[in-house]
Amino acid sequence: HVQLVESGGGSVQAGGSLRLSCPVSGFIYPAYCMAWFRQAPGKAREGVACIDTDGSTFYADSVKGRFTISRDNAKNTLYLQMNSLKPEDTAMYYCAADRFGCLRGRTALDSTTAFGYWGQGTQVTVS
């Protein structure tokens, strides 16, 4: 069955860095559009970054220049390198996958409906 398991979250001071990982199984990973979303308490889930099968990427304006999404197709793993973290980056971070999500381009980050598979999340706290 499909599994997406996020890890790498934690507590960090403002200006620090974290690297999230999301190994997946149960589907043909190289053929899937992958993304990171986040959800802060009391707020809607929002798209952070997505990466297509050809490596093309899209980012939310709030993280552009600070976060980098990448994928390792040999390891079936998605990553999110987060630098220059800010308190407003505090949220639960989720890994998501969809066969056709990236066909929406940048707008794939505007709605959770673009992605059919989700992980359970990893908490990131920036103080």
Side-chain angles (χ1 to χ4, degrees), residues 16-33:
S17 298
L18 284 173
R19 189 194 195 203
L20 306 184
S21 298
C22 178
V24 310
S25 60
F27 59 95
I28 303 174
Y29 175 72
Y32 274 65
C33 167

Side-chain angles (χ1 to χ4, degrees), residues 6 20 35-49 59-64 66-67 80-96 109-112 115 118-126:
E6 303 91 338
L20 306 184
W36 289 97
F37 280 71
R38 67 186 181 187
Q39 187 167 19
K43 294 188 177 181
R45 194 170 296 190
E46 63 175 4
V48 174
Y59 293 92
D61 289 342
S62 59
V63 306
K64 202 172 294 183
R66 299 188 298 121
F67 290 10
L80 184 69
Q81 178 66 45
M82 304 186 295
N83 298 328
S84 303
L85 282 161
K86 304 175 181 180
E88 51 263 44
D89 295 319
T90 295
M92 185 73 78
Y93 282 71
Y94 297 90
C95 172
L109 297 178
D110 294 341
S111 172
T112 59
F115 293 88
W118 292 85
Q120 294 301 306
T122 185
Q123 178 67 38
V124 172
T125 303
V126 185

